[in-house]
Amino acid sequence: MEPIVLHNKAHMAGMEAGYAIRPRAMVVSGGGQDWIVNEGLCGFAWVNFKGNTAFGRALMKRGICRKGYPSGLTLWIGQFNQSWERKKAYAQAYAKVLNENGVEATWGERLD
């Protein structure tokens, strides 16, 4: 599969997974007030894959990903504002599509 076609397929799977999640709302309190954050906890998620592959080179060339640490490439999930749960679901789905199509990928996440 062409690298950009694969990226688009993985992106669509990620978007579907992210929108399918119903984050648990959180309440932020301070100064005698409470705010409800419907999108839940804030955080980050990403997908890592090798850079010395046709897929990695194609995404890097188009600015879709960037150099990872300590090696390879990283696709940071920018969708879904700060919603950790939605970003995590996207990353899992994206990595799954890559792995199913012969591109070794892992995903990661962290709370902010």
Side-chain angles (χ1 to χ4, degrees):
M1 183 177 303
E2 288 292 317
I4 297 307
V5 173
L6 178 55
H7 163 71
N8 289 338
K9 180 178 178 178
H11 172 69
M12 292 307 297
M15 294 301 289
E16 288 175 13
Y19 281 123
I21 295 292
R22 290 183 49 93
R24 196 169 78 183
M26 77 173 169
V27 177
V28 177
S29 299
Q33 292 184 306
D34 292 336
W35 294 271
I36 296 174
V37 181
N38 290 322
E39 288 298 300
L41 299 171
C42 298
F44 303 93
W46 57 89
V47 178
N48 293 321
F49 44 88
K50 293 180 180 178
N52 61 348
T53 64
F55 180 79
R57 286 189 298 274
L59 267 62
M60 188 69 167
K61 181 178 179 181
R62 289 167 178 79
I64 297 170
C65 62
R66 62 184 182 194
K67 290 183 180 182
Y69 177 83
S71 64
L73 299 174
T74 299
L75 172 74
W76 283 92
I77 312 308
Q79 291 76 11
F80 306 113
N81 297 316
Q82 296 183 55
S83 177
W84 168 72
E85 291 176 87
R86 291 187 191 275
K87 288 176 180 284
K88 179 180 168 186
Y90 179 108
Q92 289 172 322
Y94 191 102
K96 181 180 179 193
V97 170
L98 294 189
N99 284 309
E100 290 173 347
N101 287 276
V103 176
E104 186 179 326
T106 60
W107 61 274
E109 47 80 22
R110 74 173 174 85
L111 292 171
D112 191 17

